[in-house]
Amino acid sequence: MADNRKPPKLPVEGKRNILITSALPYVNNVPHLGNIIGCVLSADVFARYCRIRGYNTIYMCGTDEYGTATETKAMEENCSPKEICDKYYAIHKEVYNWFNISFDEFGRTSCPQQTEVCQEIFKKIFDNKWLSENTMQQLYCDTCERFLADRLVEGNCPTPGCEYDSARGDQCEKCGKLLNPTELKNPRCKVCQKTPRIRDTDHLFLELPLLKDKLEKYISEMSVVGGWSQNAIQTTNSWLREGLKPRCITRDLKWGVPVPHEKYKDKVFYVWFDAPIGYVSITSCYTRDWEKWWKNPENVELYQFMGKDNVPFHTVMFPSTLLGTGENWTLMKTISVTEYLNYESGKFSKSKGIGVFGNDVKDTNIPVEVWRYYLLTNRPEVSDTLFTWPDLQAKLNSELLNNLGNFINRVLSFIAKPAGQGYDSIIPSIPDDVSGDSHDLTKKLADKVAAYIDQYIEAMEKVKLKQGLRTAMSISSEGNAYLQEAQFWKLYKENKSHCSIVMKTAVGIVYLLACLLEPFIPSFTHEVFNQLNLPAEIHVSLCDDKGDVDRVKIPWDIISSGHKIGTPKPLFKELKDEEVEFYRNKFAGSQADRIVRAEVEAENVAEQLKKTKVSGVLSRSSISNECSRLRRRKSKSEDEGHVESLMKMQMPDLSILEHCTLESRDFVYGNGKKKSAKSSNEAKNKAATEPDITITRLDIRVGLITKAQKHPDADALYVEEIDVGEEQTRTVVSGLVKYIPLDEMQNRKVCVLCNLKPQSMRGIKSQAMVLAASNDDHSKVELVEPPSSATVGERVTFPGYEGNPDELLNPKKKVWETLQVDLHSNEDLVACYKDVPLTTSAGVCKVSSIRCGSIK
């Protein structure tokens, strides 16, 4: 995200003018990898692709800074909302800079331009009579002199049998029931703890029903022309089917864009109304001629990138707002939507600190191009995908190192060899007795490459980024096969003419790969062009006007004979098993869990040190400072070795340290707060008594779905009521909408995992999990079904395994995650743990048609 200011680009008549936005990340926390792939990274890839194609392109983004969440975060950190925004804006900017995100402008919605543009749009829709007024009842705190947002109210849950005394104004965390603040018993202001009162408050509403015809016309036309992703179409149609309702656009807050109306001057705009307008205001920060981009639909194409939870705001709300002005706005042509990227066995969560965050990746030894490549190969385009450390390792070692890196290094290293062994770093000339068209193996490769280039362009034009990346990597595989079949090392000795055409073609493929992969892994591209001794800013181009696409389809003619290449060196480094294990442990659980683990481990070390006679010891501060200095260096493995040496020089008998993480060593020497010896001993005893992880610890029962319905706030989720043999049914949320019709979910027996920790899913607490099997690419999912005569509530057993289930699985112990990898359907469609069937009193549990599927 280089901040090198260039003159702003404006639309050019006769050229493709592409305006790209990505959903504005909220500024109350650090972005995690799911946030990054969901919007900014995906948009960056497409922006970079458009630029190398020669399209006149700008990419606008920034932080979403107004609203309740910012005010709440400011209270937590005892500072002003502006200070919170300043702090996290800087963090976001630093993270995106590290990821090489190429914004043309990265702005903020708290800027003066946002107020100006937002208020001007409001005045237009107000004058056009698309707004209405309505009175609502909200809780008001006389002490704080403010209406209280949902999250600023706590009280007793009104649900019979629950009555939890710290239920929030939007939901009770204990029973999971969705609430309105006025429903709470004994409500209290979270800030001053005083009792608020119910008070009427007037608000403005955007009359979506009156704009329905204009909106539906836009959606029906543009969703086809723009090739909207299927998940965007489904979500939008769902909103339209349910009927559009007036939407409140004002809030009783202080932190936001003020409403320019005398009656509502003490209110601000609701964040859903003003945040999308941020795209426009940030463009106005980029250029005073912003209207040439945003009010020019004949010459500008608008592409927008986001996660699936943002879809209705961009396909319904924002277009309705712009249509309501009556002006000729550039409305979205294409929307690219991602599902969720999950972490290991659960969901990335900013609020719970679960997963790998943007500022974490800088502290690993893994380069940015590896992170970008892995996230993009794992981009959740049609269904949720999973981040796992072993998968990242496999993609780095097999795809980047052994395929791409190996091909490029073999080619350039051979050319760089001295004369008599290679070409002394000079691109060879092709003798008159041979040509690319006459050399069968080379002609065959060129035909394949030409087809791949066409497929790459077709995929990228349709914003099918993962397919475009796969296609580019296929060219690398073809290059490796070409080298093997040509046996260039033999040709060099036996047929110099044929060797010249092979190596000149191969180095052309190196050049081509660097161009095709620039949108995905730009730092890799710049390194390859450095090794080719060519300026990347001139050569990275696939512009039709310049004939670039036709040129790169003739690989032996791409780089001129006689050109001298630079110094070849390996492009990627192997990620080893012990490093993977280190990172898995380092980032396991929540951020709070990680601190506790480091403390306990450090205390164990400290206890050992007390028993060890140490002489000539360095001061705590000296060791701590040295460890901290080393930790900032790039190579984690070097750091640990150096720390070992440093400590062992001064402390001869510290072999115990060989088994500790670097963090806990730092902790021992003054970088953390110590726990008592009692706490340490308790932790040891607890670990010693922890039972083995066996399948009997899972409480899997036969359940009967008594009712199933769509989740009110998530199109991909069902909410089921399931009888598992208890007094009351359990509420279960399942992501099965895409795979199983609603009518097939009714009155159906299923296998239910009953002792997972309850978890809120889009506002509803799920109290169990329905087991289902999926095929390899997750395109098909089926329920695991017990026999029809199985007794509801009976426990599913595993013959040969004895033991009682945990009352509640401790998520920190990863019991379910450890066992799940061995749950599968076999060739006979029987659900099994390893080779043992899931068994009931009426027989074994089965799936309908998925053989050798994974069960989870």
Side-chain angles (χ1 to χ4, degrees), residues 520-534:
F520 303 96
I521 41 177
S523 54
F524 156 85
T525 292
H526 281 261
E527 177 57 29
V528 171
F529 273 101
N530 184 50
Q531 294 187 28
L532 286 171
N533 194 27
L534 293 170

Side-chain angles (χ1 to χ4, degrees), residues 342-347 386-388 811 814 816-817:
N342 294 322
Y343 179 69
E344 291 282 340
S345 58
K347 289 182 70 172
L386 190 65
F387 173 103
T388 70
K814 303 290 183 184
W816 161 246
E817 293 78 8

